[in-house]
Amino acid sequence: MPAIVGHINVVNIGSSGVFHIGDVFAIRPISYSRTFAGAGSFNVGETVNVYNYENSTNVNDQDVIDQPISLTY
C-alpha cells in the first residue's frame, strides 16, 4: 500500500540490518560470523577470577566452506 513518508534520519544500520521504505515482498538479511575465543573470554560479572596458566586457542580451520550461504529463498 503506497504511503507518503516525511523526513527520515538514519544514524546507523548494523552489518545484517535492513532499511526499507515502500512495498516489499520479502526481506531476508544474510550474514555469518566466526568467533575464536580462549579460556575465560566470555566470562561476565563483578568479580571473575580465571586462573589459566597455559591457554591455546586453535584457529586453524581445514574446511574451505563451513556453511555456504547461497540460493536462500
Side-chain angles (χ1 to χ4, degrees):
M1 176 175 223
I4 298 173
V5 179
H7 298 282
I8 297 173
N9 184 15
V10 178
V11 177
N12 189 8
I13 296 178
S15 62
S16 64
V18 173
F19 176 75
H20 181 80
I21 297 174
D23 297 336
V24 67
F25 175 72
I27 296 177
R28 295 185 182 104
I30 298 173
S31 69
Y32 64 93
S33 65
R34 181 182 295 180
T35 303
F36 298 108
S41 296
F42 298 115
N43 292 333
V44 294
E46 293 184 15
T47 305
V48 177
N49 295 323
V50 177
Y51 298 103
N52 185 22
Y53 297 106
E54 294 184 23
N55 182 15
S56 176
T57 303
N58 184 8
V59 296
N60 186 13
D61 190 6
Q62 299 295 327
D63 298 334
V64 176
I65 299 174
D66 289 333
Q67 182 175 356
I69 299 177
S70 63
L71 298 175
T72 55
Y73 293 101

